Amino acid sequence: MQGKGFIKFMAILLGIVCVYSLSFNLVTSNVEKNAKAYAKGDPEKEKAYLDSMSAVPVYPIFGFDYEFCKSKSINLGLDLKGGMNVTMEISLAELVKSLAGNPDDANFNQAIANAQTELNAGGKDFINLFVNNFEKLSPNVKLADYFANQDNAQQLKANASNAEVRNYLSKEATSAIDRSFIIIRSRIDGFGVVSPNMQKQEGTNRILIEMPGVQDKERIHKLLQGSAELQFWQVYQNEEVYSLLENINKTLATTLKDTTSTAAAKDSTATAGSKLAGLGKKANTADSTAQRLEAAKNNPLFAVLTIPTYQGPNGPALRPGPVVGWVAQKDTAKVNSYLKRAEIAPVIPSTFKFMWSVKPMEGSKVFELYAIKDVDANDAPDLGGEAISDARADYDQKGRPEVTMYMTGDGAAKWKKITAEASADPNNKKSIAIVLDNNVYSAPTVQNEIPNGISSITGSFTVNDTQDLANILKAGKLPAPARIVGEFVVGPSLGQAAIDNGLLSFCLAFVVILVFMALYYNKAGWVANLALVINLFFIMGILVSLGAVLTLPGIAGIILVIGLSVDANILIFERVREELLHGKSTALAIKEGFKHAMPSIIDSNVTILILGIILYIFGSGPVQGFATTLCIGILSSLFCAVLISRLVFDSMLNKSSNITFGNKATLHAFRDIAFDFVGRRKIYYAISAVIIIAGTIFYFKNGGLRLGIDFKGGRYYIVHFDKPMDTETVKEQLTPVFGNEAPEVKTAGNANELKITTTYHIADVATSADKVVEDALRAGLNKTGTKYTIESNQKVGPIIASDLVYSAYGAILFSCLVMFIYIIVRFKKLNYGLGAVIALFHDVLLVLSFYTILDGVLPFSLEIGQDFIAAILTVMSYTMTETVVVFDRIREKLAETGKEDIHGEERNNTINFALNSTLSRTILTSLTVFFVLLVIFIFGGESIRGFIFALLIGRVIGTYSSLCISTPIVVDLGKNK
C-alpha cells in the first residue's frame, strides 16, 4: 500500500482536530454541572451562575472563557432541546404599495392581488409576478409613473422602462429582506437566545429562525412581528450626566442601605466612590467580602456601572463623548431596575431617556449606556426614519469604510437644523444617536452643519459594520411588514424524551453492527469495528467543528451512515474471501480484494453522496440536518473503512498475525448459488404491478394520500393527558370549537398522547390567529375533564406548504436526472441508465402504494410530509447503490472477456452471474441496515417513526428492485440489439 505515511499523518491530524473540537463539550458540561450544583434546582440561580462565568477563563490550556467554549460546543436542535422554529415572510406586496405611494388605481392593486395569489399557489419571485400581471391589466401604462419620484431620482428616472422598474423593485425587495434580517437578528440577540440560528431562504422573501430553549410564544410573536422604528436623537455628553448619576447613586444608597442583598454584592465586579478621583478604579480582588459588601451598600449604582474616564494631567477626568456608563452584560438588568424604581423617577428630569448600545464593546461583555435628550419631553425623536431616502456602505478618500446617508427633501431641512445645533460649539461638538427599537446603533459626532441632506458617518468601522449600519438606516424607510407564516414549538420535556430515545437507539444500533461484524467476519470483523469506532469519532468531531446543529433526524443519519459504512467493508471482505477460495495467500487476497472492491465502493458512495447533496439543497430543517450528517458520514466512512482498515491489515501482516475472514458457519455462506433472476423477471414485474395497482385502488378509496401539514398547511398539537383518551371523544369535543370543522385526532406513540391537526384559521394572517386557535383548542380539551399539557405545536402556512410540494417534486425529478446522467457517463450504456431510472420510479411507486394500502392499518402516522421526501430519496439511493455494484460486476466480467457488450443468452448468463456473485454482499448489507433501522424504529421515538418506516420498507424494496427489476430490465431494453 502506497502513501501510508500521508494517510497516517492525515488520520492523526484529523484526530487532533476532532479532539480539540469535542473538548469544548467537556469543558462546558463541567461548568454547567457546577452551575447545577450551586443552584440546587433554582433555574434563576443557575442562569446567574452561568452569566457570571461568561467571561471567566474555563479552558485549562488555552484560557478560553465559558461563552467562547459554549459557542464552539455542539449545538442541539429544537427536537433535542426544545424551543421555537419560526418561518417569517417579508410582505413584498406591502413594500411595492409603499414604494408606489399606496395608489388607489384599481388595476395596480389588482395586479398585486393576482401576484400574491400566484405566489401562494407555488409561484416564484413576487416582483416578476406583479410586473407581468400589471402589464396584462394595463398594457399602455408605464410603471415609472407610479415609482419614479424626487427621492429616488438617482436610482430611477421618470422615463424608465418597465424592465428598469422591475430591476429597481427587485433591488429594493432584496434590500428590504436584508434589512429585516438585520433587525430581526438584533431583536433576537437582545432577547438573549443562546445559539440562535437564522437563515435567509435564497430566492424567496422568507427568513428561517431557530431559537433553542425559547418557550414564550406570545413574547416572540411581539418581538418578531413588531414594526421597526428608526429614530435620530440628540444626546447628552458624559460631563452633563455625571452629576445626575451621582445623585441617583446617593438616593439608591439611602433607600437600599438596609435591604441590599448579599447576592447583589457577589455579582458586582467593580466598585466606585462618589468622588471623581475613584471613578476609574476596579474592584481589588484582594478585598474582603465585607469590604465589597460595604462598597455595594454605599454605592449601589457605581458598584455595577463604571463612569468613562481617562487619565488627565491633574488625575482622572471624565471622558468626553456621549457614552455615560459602562456596564457588564450580566448587570444591565440590575441597572434597568435601579433606574425604574419609584424613588428614582423624580430624580431623573423628563428630558432624559437612558438607552443601551445594541451590542457590547468589541472584545468584551460590556455595554455602553447613553443619555438621550428628549428636548420637549414629549417622547418624540428629533428626526424619524422616514427622512432617509437611501444609505450606502462606502469608502472615504483614504479607503476607510464609511456610510453615506441621503435625506429626503423634508428630512434634509430638519437635518440641517439639527446638525447646526450639534456642531455650533467648535470646542464641544455634540453627537447624534442613531436608534432602532430603542437601541443605540451608533452615535457619531457632528463636525459641521450638513445643509444638503448628504452625510458621511465615519468611525472604527469594518466593511460588515458599514453594510449593517446602511441597512439599519434604510430600515425606517418604506417598511415591509414581517409575518410569521410557519412555526414549530417543542416543549423541554419532549426534547428530553427525544434525547433519551435518540441516545438509546444510537447505542443499541451501534452494538448490533459491532456484534454482527465480529460474529460473521471473525478477526476481520474486529478490524471493521475499529474503523467504525474511529469513523463515529470523526463524524462527531467534524460536525462540532463545522458548527452543525444536531437533530434527531441527524442522529438517524449518523446511525444510517454507520450501517452503510459496513457496506464498504463487506464488499472488501467478500472479494477477499473469493480470492482466498482461489488459493491465494492472505496478503495477496487482501491486496486483490481491496483492488477489485474499490470501483464498486467509489460508485456506490458517490451515488449516495449525490443524493445527500440534493437532500441538502432541496430540504430544510430536519431533512437538511439528515443530509448534513449523511454527506459528512459518507466521506468519513470512505476514509476509515478503506484507508484506515487497510493500514490495520498491513500492520497485522507485518506482525505475521493470523487474519480470518469468517468461521465455519459463515465462511462458505452464499456460495454456489445460481438463481435465475433474469429468467423469472416477468414474475417480478407481475408482483410489482399487482402492488402498484392495489395502491392505486386504495389511493382513490382513501381520497388520496394523507398529506401532512408540511404539504397542505395547518396546525398540529401534541397533547399529553393524565390518562388514556379515546380519539373519537376528543374529536367530538373539538369539532364545535373549531367552527364545526372536524380536526384529525390520533394517538402519538401511546394512548396518553394525542396528535391534533386542524386547518382552523390557517389562512388568517392576523397576529392574534394563533391565540384564537389555541384558545379554541383549550376550550375543547377542557370539556374532556382530564388534565393535559400541550407539549409541542407546529404551524405551516399555505405558502410554505405549496413551496414544499414543488421543491419535493423538484428533488425527486432532479435526483432521477442526475442518476441517469451518472450511470450513462460511468458505464457508457444508455439502457443501463434507463434501467436504473425506471427502477427508481418503480421504487417510489411501490413505497407510495404501501403507504396507501397500510394507511389506517398501522398504529402510527403514515402522513406524507417533508421527512417522507427525505425517505424517498434515501430509498432511491439504496437502489442505486445496489444496482451500481451489480453493474460494476458486469463491467468487470466484460473486461475479462475483452468485449464491450454482449447479447442474447450470453448477456442473460452474465447478468445472472453478476447478481449471484454479489448476492452475499447485497443480503448482508441489506440485513445490517435493516436491523439498524429496526432498532431506531422501535426505540427512536414517535417524532421519526413514520420517517424510519419509510426507510424500512424502502430498504426491502431497494434490495428487491436491484435484484429483480433494475438489472433484469436491462435485458428487455437491449433486446433490439
Side-chain angles (χ1 to χ4, degrees):
M1 181 184 179
Q2 296 180 345
K4 290 182 182 179
F6 179 73
I7 294 171
K8 289 179 181 178
F9 171 76
M10 289 301 298
I12 293 171
L13 182 63
L14 189 57
I16 292 172
V17 171
C18 292
V19 167
Y20 173 75
S21 299
L22 292 171
S23 66
F24 291 106
N25 291 278
L26 297 175
V27 172
T28 55
S29 63
N30 185 53
V31 174
E32 288 159 8
K33 181 181 177 182
N34 294 337
K36 288 184 181 297
Y38 166 78
K40 297 179 180 178
D42 186 339
E44 291 298 325
K45 279 189 175 183
E46 185 175 342
K47 184 178 183 302
Y49 182 93
L50 293 176
D51 286 343
S52 68
M53 296 294 291
S54 62
V56 176
V58 294
Y59 201 111
I61 300 175
F62 299 104
F64 299 136
D65 59 40
Y66 169 74
E67 182 161 357
F68 178 83
C69 292
K70 189 66 178 176
S71 68
K72 294 295 182 181
S73 60
I74 192 163
N75 296 317
L76 298 182
L78 300 185
D79 50 1
L80 297 180
K81 189 176 182 179
M84 286 187 70
N85 180 313
V86 175
T87 301
M88 299 202 69
E89 182 185 71
I90 312 305
S91 177
L92 297 185
E94 297 293 331
L95 176 70
V96 171
K97 285 182 182 179
S98 182
L99 286 170
N102 296 301
D104 295 328
D105 183 87
N107 285 348
F108 183 95
N109 291 317
Q110 187 60 50
I112 286 180
N114 292 348
Q116 189 65 49
T117 301
E118 292 176 22
L119 186 71
N120 293 351
K124 298 292 183 183
D125 195 338
F126 177 85
I127 300 301
N128 278 328
L129 294 174
F130 161 71
V131 174
N132 293 340
N133 276 283
F134 180 84
E135 290 177 339
K136 289 178 185 177
L137 294 169
S138 304
N140 300 319
V141 180
K142 293 178 63 177
L143 279 168
D145 295 342
Y146 295 90
F147 295 101
N149 54 55
Q150 184 179 353
D151 292 332
N152 63 10
Q154 291 184 337
Q155 293 86 36
L156 192 66
K157 304 299 181 185
N159 60 349
S161 65
N162 283 0
E164 290 173 327
V165 175
R166 186 198 304 262
N167 291 335
Y168 166 75
L169 293 177
S170 295
K171 290 178 182 178
E172 288 297 316
T174 302
S175 177
I177 295 167
D178 291 341
R179 298 198 306 265
S180 298
F181 184 86
I182 290 175
I183 293 166
I184 293 170
R185 184 181 64 190
S186 67
R187 291 179 179 182
I188 291 173
D189 290 342
F191 187 77
V193 178
V194 178
S195 301
N197 178 34
M198 290 184 63
Q199 298 176 1
K200 284 181 286 189
Q201 279 191 306
E202 296 302 326
T204 72
N205 56 327
R206 287 188 291 278
I207 298 170
L208 304 180
I209 308 165
E210 285 189 347
M211 295 169 283
V214 173
Q215 299 296 323
D216 192 341
K217 273 178 57 179
E218 294 301 320
R219 187 177 173 194
I220 287 295
H221 285 182
K222 292 177 182 177
L223 179 78
L224 298 182
Q225 295 185 137
S227 60
E229 190 175 7
L230 177 68
Q231 301 172 333
F232 294 86
W233 294 87
Q234 296 182 58
V235 292
Y236 289 100
Q237 297 296 98
N238 187 17
E239 59 269 20
E240 297 177 287
V241 182
Y242 172 67
S243 59
L244 172 62
L245 293 177
E246 188 177 36
N247 195 12
I248 293 173
N249 181 59
K250 290 178 180 178
T251 305
L252 285 170
T254 302
T255 55
L256 297 177
K257 190 171 184 179
D258 299 326
T259 58
T260 301
S261 65
T262 303
K266 287 183 179 180
D267 284 344
S268 63
T269 58
T271 60
S274 60
K275 302 278 186 188
L276 184 60
L279 285 175
K281 297 179 180 178
K282 299 287 184 182
N284 189 333
T285 53
D287 286 347
S288 66
T289 302
Q291 288 175 318
R292 285 187 287 114
L293 268 170
E294 190 63 27
K297 287 180 180 180
N298 294 334
N299 300 284
L301 179 63
F302 291 156
V304 291
L305 181 146
T306 302
I307 301 296
T309 61
Y310 73 101
Q311 191 64 33
N314 300 319
L318 291 168
R319 177 176 294 186
V323 179
V324 301
W326 292 323
V327 180
Q329 182 177 7
K330 64 186 180 65
D331 292 323
T332 54
K334 185 179 293 183
V335 172
N336 287 338
S337 67
Y338 284 162
L339 297 177
K340 290 178 182 178
R341 290 181 68 93
E343 65 271 19
I344 299 301
V347 177
I348 302 176
S350 58
T351 56
F352 275 75
K353 287 164 62 76
F354 288 101
M355 291 185 184
W356 296 104
S357 59
V358 70
K359 58 184 179 181
M361 298 163 64
E362 188 175 353
S364 73
K365 286 296 172 186
V366 176
F367 280 77
E368 295 168 314
L369 184 65
Y370 294 85
I372 303 299
K373 185 181 292 186
D374 189 356
V375 179
D376 298 323
N378 58 2
D379 208 29
D382 296 286
L383 197 63
E386 71 282 352
I388 306 295
S389 65
D390 197 13
R392 302 175 190 172
D394 212 336
Y395 295 92
D396 64 14
Q397 294 178 347
K398 295 183 179 180
R400 295 172 300 191
E402 68 172 13
V403 174
T404 304
M405 182 174 66
Y406 301 87
M407 295 284 187
T408 63
D410 291 340
K414 295 179 182 177
W415 190 238
K416 177 181 178 180
K417 179 183 178 184
I418 296 170
T419 54
E421 292 176 359
S423 60
D425 185 352
N427 299 319
N428 186 20
K429 306 246 182 217
K430 303 294 180 66
S431 301
I432 302 291
I434 302 170
V435 176
L436 184 69
D437 289 341
N438 292 318
N439 286 311
V440 178
Y441 276 78
S442 179
T445 302
V446 180
Q447 299 299 330
N448 297 291
E449 174 189 305
I450 302 173
N452 58 3
I454 302 176
S455 311
S456 295
I457 303 174
T458 59
S460 301
F461 293 142
T462 64
V463 173
N464 288 337
D465 288 337
T466 56
Q467 289 173 344
D468 286 352
L469 184 54
N471 276 324
I472 289 158
L473 288 170
K474 290 189 289 185
K477 174 202 167 192
L478 305 173
R483 299 189 180 96
I484 294 175
V485 294
E487 65 180 340
F488 179 35
V489 181
V490 179
S493 59
L494 185 62
Q496 187 58 50
I499 292 174
D500 295 340
N501 291 332
L503 288 175
L504 178 61
S505 64
F506 176 86
C507 295
L508 290 175
F510 195 64
V511 169
V512 165
I513 294 177
L514 295 179
V515 171
F516 172 80
M517 293 298 289
L519 291 177
Y520 196 88
Y521 288 109
N522 213 326
K523 282 189 177 180
W526 285 108
V527 175
N529 287 344
L530 175 62
L532 278 176
V533 173
I534 296 174
N535 183 28
L536 175 62
F537 172 69
F538 283 169
I539 290 173
M540 295 304 298
I542 294 170
L543 281 173
V544 176
S545 64
L546 293 178
V549 178
L550 187 62
T551 62
L552 203 56
I555 292 178
I558 293 174
I559 298 171
L560 191 59
V561 164
I562 291 171
L564 291 171
S565 67
V566 303
D567 182 45
N569 288 119
I570 290 174
L571 276 169
I572 294 168
F573 294 170
E574 290 300 311
R575 294 306 294 261
V576 170
R577 286 162 73 155
E578 287 182 25
E579 302 299 330
L580 289 172
L581 288 175
H582 292 156
K584 295 181 180 179
S585 66
T586 302
L588 184 58
I590 290 174
K591 180 181 178 181
E592 292 294 315
F594 273 87
K595 175 184 175 182
H596 291 306
M598 278 308 296
S600 296
I601 293 172
I602 296 297
D603 286 333
S604 61
N605 279 273
V606 166
T607 55
I608 300 182
L609 183 62
I610 291 173
L611 266 295
I613 293 170
I614 294 173
L615 274 175
Y616 186 85
I617 294 171
F618 284 92
S620 63
V623 174
Q624 212 168 50
F626 177 81
T628 301
T629 54
L630 187 65
C631 292
I632 292 172
I634 288 170
L635 297 175
S636 175
S637 297
L638 277 173
F639 181 75
C640 296
V642 177
L643 300 178
I644 290 184
S645 61
R646 181 66 189 275
L647 283 177
V648 175
F649 279 126
D650 285 355
S651 176
M652 294 173 71
L653 289 172
N654 291 336
K655 296 178 181 178
S656 301
S657 300
N658 180 32
I659 305 174
T660 55
F661 287 84
N663 50 52
K664 291 181 180 180
T666 64
L667 198 56
H668 298 285
F670 300 101
R671 295 298 171 196
D672 302 321
I673 295 177
F675 199 81
D676 187 9
F677 289 100
V678 175
R680 294 181 173 87
R681 66 188 184 280
K682 293 182 179 178
I683 298 175
Y684 309 137
Y685 297 166
I687 293 172
S688 295
V690 169
I691 295 173
I692 292 171
I693 291 170
T696 304
I697 293 171
F698 275 90
Y699 174 86
F700 289 105
K701 178 188 173 189
N702 297 338
L705 295 168
R706 186 190 294 272
L707 297 178
I709 66 169
D710 284 350
F711 282 175
K712 67 182 181 183
R715 294 177 177 86
Y716 84 68
Y717 302 84
I718 300 294
V719 183
H720 177 80
F721 293 88
D722 284 358
K723 66 179 184 180
M725 298 295 292
D726 178 63
T727 56
E728 287 301 317
T729 301
V730 175
K731 185 176 181 179
E732 290 174 7
Q733 299 292 346
L734 291 175
T735 300
V737 299
F738 284 155
N740 291 321
E741 178 185 321
E744 184 181 81
V745 182
K746 51 192 173 186
T747 57
N750 57 68
N752 284 54
E753 284 195 342
L754 298 183
K755 180 180 179 181
I756 301 168
T757 306
T758 178
T759 56
Y760 182 57
H761 275 285
I762 190 58
D764 188 350
V765 297
T767 56
S768 59
D770 292 329
K771 189 173 188 306
V772 169
V773 178
E774 187 167 323
D775 288 345
L777 173 68
R778 293 185 182 277
L781 295 178
N782 290 338
K783 295 178 183 177
T784 64
T786 305
K787 289 185 178 180
Y788 64 88
T789 53
I790 300 174
E791 295 204 334
S792 71
N793 67 76
Q794 181 173 357
K795 170 193 171 186
V796 176
I799 300 173
I800 302 295
S802 64
D803 277 1
L804 286 172
V805 172
Y806 285 100
S807 66
Y809 292 157
I812 292 176
L813 293 175
F814 183 63
S815 61
C816 288
L817 176 64
V818 171
M819 293 299 102
F820 177 69
I821 294 172
Y822 179 80
I823 294 295
I824 291 177
V825 171
R826 194 73 178 92
F827 295 96
K828 300 179 179 62
K829 302 279 191 306
L830 180 63
N831 55 331
Y832 282 32
L834 288 172
V837 171
I838 290 172
L840 293 181
F841 280 107
H842 162 270
D843 292 358
V844 172
L845 288 174
L846 278 191
V847 174
L848 290 172
S849 296
F850 276 112
Y851 258 56
T852 58
I853 294 169
L854 299 175
D855 185 24
V857 177
L858 298 176
F860 51 85
S861 171
L862 289 182
E863 287 182 346
I864 306 297
Q866 190 178 185
D867 54 357
F868 177 80
I869 300 304
I872 285 290
L873 289 171
T874 309
V875 168
M876 292 163 66
S877 73
Y878 288 154
T879 301
M880 289 306 304
T881 302
E882 308 285 357
T883 303
V884 164
V885 169
V886 176
F887 285 178
D888 269 314
R889 185 55 71 98
I890 294 173
R891 181 174 55 187
E892 183 182 325
K893 187 68 174 177
L894 289 174
E896 291 175 2
T897 60
K899 300 178 180 179
E900 290 187 2
D901 203 356
I902 49 179
H903 310 284
E905 192 60 32
E906 188 180 5
R907 169 183 280 175
N908 295 355
N909 292 334
T910 301
I911 290 177
N912 273 326
F913 165 79
L915 288 167
N916 284 295
S917 61
T918 59
L919 187 62
S920 58
R921 173 259 164 205
T922 301
I923 298 299
L924 291 174
T925 301
S926 298
L927 284 176
T928 304
V929 175
F930 184 85
F931 287 140
V932 169
L933 292 171
L934 188 62
V935 171
I936 304 172
F937 178 78
I938 296 172
F939 299 101
E942 178 65 24
S943 61
I944 59 170
R945 188 153 289 152
F947 173 61
I948 298 300
F949 176 76
L951 295 182
L952 273 171
I953 62 173
R955 175 72 281 190
V956 176
I957 291 170
T959 304
Y960 159 76
S961 177
S962 65
L963 291 172
C964 306
I965 302 296
S966 62
T967 312
I969 212 172
V970 172
V971 174
D972 295 316
L973 291 173
K975 273 187 175 181
N976 292 337
K977 293 185 178 181

